[in-house]
Amino acid sequence: CRNIHFTGIFGTGMSALAQYLRFQGITVTGSDRLLASEDTSSIRSSLEALGCGIYSQDGSGIDKDTDVVCISTAIEESNADIAAARASGLPVIHRSDLLAGIIKTKKTIAVAGTSGKSTVTAMIFEFLTACEKSPSLISGAPLRRLKKQGLIGNAFCGGSDLLVVEADESDGSIVQYKPELGLLLNIDKDHQEIDELMKVFGVFKNNSRFFVVNQSHALARQLSKDVQQDFSTNPDINAGYVATDFHQQGLTISFKIQGVPFQLNVVGKHNMENAVAAVTIA
């Protein structure tokens, strides 16, 4: 497949995939209903700078060279792009199907949980980059360092087989992902009921070759595979990596992980939890 069209290309998840495939040399086109909006002009400019062809959402972006059309949950079956794809006999796939396929091709770290995913995904990517591991990235939020390079900031292609992805559970598509290493930060009622989330994350656990959970979170703890690969922010709860001695002064926090001092220019104990998760993965 060498030519993919994204319907709703300005969406966070869709634009990340579109960029990643362009980095791989695949021809990318896309459409969006917010094509004329000033709010999306910077996204459009960044995508076009990478060589993506941007069209109105009227089916005109799909031609004889298009191999497949990718959509998200937000796209209705009545959309003109889908009608054009059906008329041409082209396959229409969901964003999660495409991401699942990409995950299989890499040594992927998939970050899951009902909160904190974007922050921890960014932290892991930064840690691995600083250690010269040259990771790739598919995230749900932009990184400022990547934006300074002229990118949208939610995708990057590194030189190694390491890929860090944000794995969203909101539509249940996370069950398709089979990463090398799965990370579960927490489980709270958000897009779905707790019972359903436990099932979804249980499948994610079984699909991950290695699995890391937050032992400080009672529900996440229930899905642990190996406590020595897990992390905790409570010294009374056993885990392979434990964060202690939290202190906040102004806009800076300090703490220790396994006795090693850390300092971050962010606030809140939740960011210590995010950091120990990322350190554990790294």
Side-chain angles (χ1 to χ4, degrees):
C1 181
R2 302 302 302 171
N3 193 317
I4 297 182
H5 179 86
F6 289 85
T7 299
I9 195 170
F10 294 163
T12 300
M14 298 285 270
S15 64
L17 289 171
Q19 292 169 87
Y20 182 83
L21 293 181
R22 277 301 299 140
F23 295 146
Q24 303 299 317
I26 292 173
T27 300
V28 171
T29 60
S31 66
D32 203 281
R33 64 189 63 179
L34 298 178
L35 185 66
S37 172
E38 290 186 9
D39 294 337
T40 59
S41 61
S42 63
I43 296 176
R44 177 177 182 172
S45 297
S46 294
L47 290 171
E48 288 180 332
L50 289 176
C52 298
I54 306 299
Y55 297 85
S56 297
Q57 206 165 89
D58 56 6
S60 61
I62 297 165
D63 59 25
K64 60 181 178 58
D65 295 322
T66 306
D67 293 319
V68 64
V69 174
C70 180
I71 63 172
S72 69
T73 306
I75 305 301
E76 310 87 353
E77 183 63 29
S78 59
N79 188 282
D81 281 5
I82 295 182
R86 303 284 191 218
S88 300
L90 296 175
V92 177
I93 65 170
H94 192 271
R95 174 195 62 81
S96 60
D97 297 318
L98 181 56
L99 180 55
I102 293 172
I103 285 172
K104 288 180 182 178
T105 68
K106 292 284 189 175
K107 185 179 287 185
T108 300
I109 299 162
V111 181
T114 44
S115 60
K117 294 186 293 295
S118 294
T119 300
V120 175
T121 298
M123 284 182 170
I124 294 170
F125 177 75
E126 290 292 338
F127 290 173
L128 294 178
T129 299
C131 293
E132 300 183 349
K133 298 300 182 183
S134 195
S136 296
L137 173 76
I138 298 176
S139 176
L143 275 67
R144 283 186 295 176
R145 183 168 61 81
L146 295 181
K147 291 182 73 173
K148 289 178 181 178
Q149 297 177 27
L151 300 172
I152 296 173
N154 55 350
F156 186 79
C157 185
S160 74
D161 61 347
L162 288 171
L163 169 64
V164 188
V165 304
E166 180 175 337
D168 184 19
E169 84 295 335
S170 62
D171 60 2
S173 59
I174 192 174
V175 300
Q176 300 179 60
Y177 308 149
K178 297 182 178 180
E180 176 80 6
L181 204 162
L183 168 62
L184 179 57
L185 301 172
N186 41 56
I187 303 174
D188 295 297
K189 184 177 177 181
D190 189 0
H191 300 102
Q192 301 182 44
E193 298 294 330
I194 292 295
D195 287 349
E196 184 60 30
L197 287 171
M198 291 298 290
K199 292 177 184 177
V200 166
F201 287 131
V203 174
F204 177 60
K205 164 190 172 179
N206 293 332
N207 285 344
S208 302
R209 183 180 177 195
F210 298 100
F211 198 62
V212 172
V213 306
N214 182 359
Q215 283 284 335
S216 303
H217 194 285
L219 292 175
R221 188 189 315 146
Q222 295 178 28
L223 295 177
S224 174
K225 274 188 178 181
D226 181 353
V227 68
Q228 291 307 311
Q229 292 182 353
D230 296 338
F231 66 93
S232 169
T233 55
N234 185 338
D236 296 325
I237 297 178
N238 183 39
Y241 297 83
V242 182
T244 60
D245 302 304
F246 175 81
H247 180 69
Q248 179 171 320
Q249 183 170 2
L251 300 179
T252 299
I253 62 173
S254 60
F255 51 92
K256 293 180 179 178
I257 301 175
Q258 306 303 88
V260 178
F262 283 76
Q263 181 172 301
L264 294 174
N265 294 325
V266 292
V267 298
K269 195 170 184 179
H270 65 286
N271 272 312
M272 176 179 76
E273 188 170 67
N274 290 335
V276 68
V279 166
T280 301
I281 293 300

